[in-house]
Amino acid sequence: MAATETSQHVQRLFSDYLERNKHRKTPERFAILSEIYAHEGHFDIEQLYGRMKSKNYRVSRATLYNTMELLLDCQLVRRHRFQGAQAQFEKAHAYRQHDHAVCDRCGKVQEFCDPRIQQIRNTVSEVMDLEVTHHALLIHGICKDCRNERNEQ
Amino acid sequence: MAATETSQHVQRLFSDYLERNKHRKTPERFAILSEIYAHEGHFDIEQLYGRMKSKNYRVSRATLYNTMELLLDCQLVRRHRFQGAQAQFEKAHAYRQHDHAVCDRCGKVQEFCDPRIQQIRNTVSEVMDLEVTHHALLIHGICKDCRNERNEQ
DNA sequence: GTTTATGCAAAGGCTTTGCATTTCA
DNA sequence: TGAAATGCAAAGCCTTTGCATAAAC
């Protein structure tokens, strides 16, 4: 699927979501979604704010936070807290399910997929009678580079 | 293993850790560890502070935060960020590996074990050349009670 | 015309930091 | 005795809130 196609598609999904939930379709909301889907990888609110500012979008941090709540609710965005207090986000649609491995020394985050996680989800859902919406698996460790550095010192 | 035995054991582990890393063995540090191991379940700094205050331990929040870093480093405690900014902790030793399922509506946290997660860890470790120290799997969903409430409204 | 959303700045909550004092080694 | 840890309060950072203004419906 081409980038523009995906972008149009999520705009549509967001539009439908707003309509369903009687929220207003403001230009800011669509501009934010568009900016998010124009980039790959993780970002925090400050980075998103900076990117929009630099393109001369007039948007406030408050609106960014508010809009992220909506985008989380309709599953177009996912939120992580890898380390520290500040939340990291990433787009969630048309981006295959994946999890994260983080190096606790340098903070580097890598992605991986493993089908077994789906089986675990199914089991947990059954056993606990939980209507599972999503999950986050974070594997912590020390990456190769950091191990080498440690040994050199 | 009896509770006191475990407690003595972790005190020993902590003591060794402090020695190895040339940290001082202060009474505060051992009192904090002891208080943590005297309880089950998750807790945050404020709760720990309250519990120690109520027992007339004289300890500051700063020392609690500092000591948690040490306990995290030597793996006697684990830190989670289930939701919101504030960190939740739980003791990690002699407490079998488990993961968490959280209801996004009421915030209830349940624990579960699944051996398949270990297989995933092994795979990730191999493929990414990561020296895995620990992991955290969080399964999000809506619990039975909350689903029922939603339907009644 | 109402009601909702925005933007700004102020307030809030959790965590970290600075510094004088105390304590461990 | 000298270096490290403690306690307190202040500062920091991320996030939320309050309120006047603007915009959607």
Side-chain angles (χ1 to χ4, degrees), chain A residues 19-65:
Chain A
E19 210 161 305
R20 260 200 322 282
N21 293 275
K22 302 199 185 358
H23 292 301
R24 292 184 176 169
K25 299 180 188 171
T26 69
E28 286 84 358
R29 287 175 174 169
F30 289 102
I32 292 166
L33 178 60
S34 174
E35 182 59 38
I36 290 171
Y37 270 76
H39 289 258
E40 293 299 323
H42 306 116
F43 61 92
D44 59 34
I45 292 289
E46 207 51 34
Q47 292 169 328
L48 184 57
Y49 182 72
R51 293 202 324 233
M52 298 194 76
K53 274 284 176 186
S54 75
K55 292 187 180 173
N56 286 55
Y57 281 125
R58 206 176 352 81
V59 73
S60 69
R61 266 172 266 256
T63 299
L64 288 180
Y65 280 106

Side-chain angles (χ1 to χ4, degrees), chain A residues 5-17:
Chain A
E5 261 182 85
T6 301
S7 184
Q8 284 175 10
H9 186 210
V10 295
Q11 299 274 330
R12 172 67 168 284
L13 289 172
F14 193 33
S15 181
D16 290 349
Y17 165 81

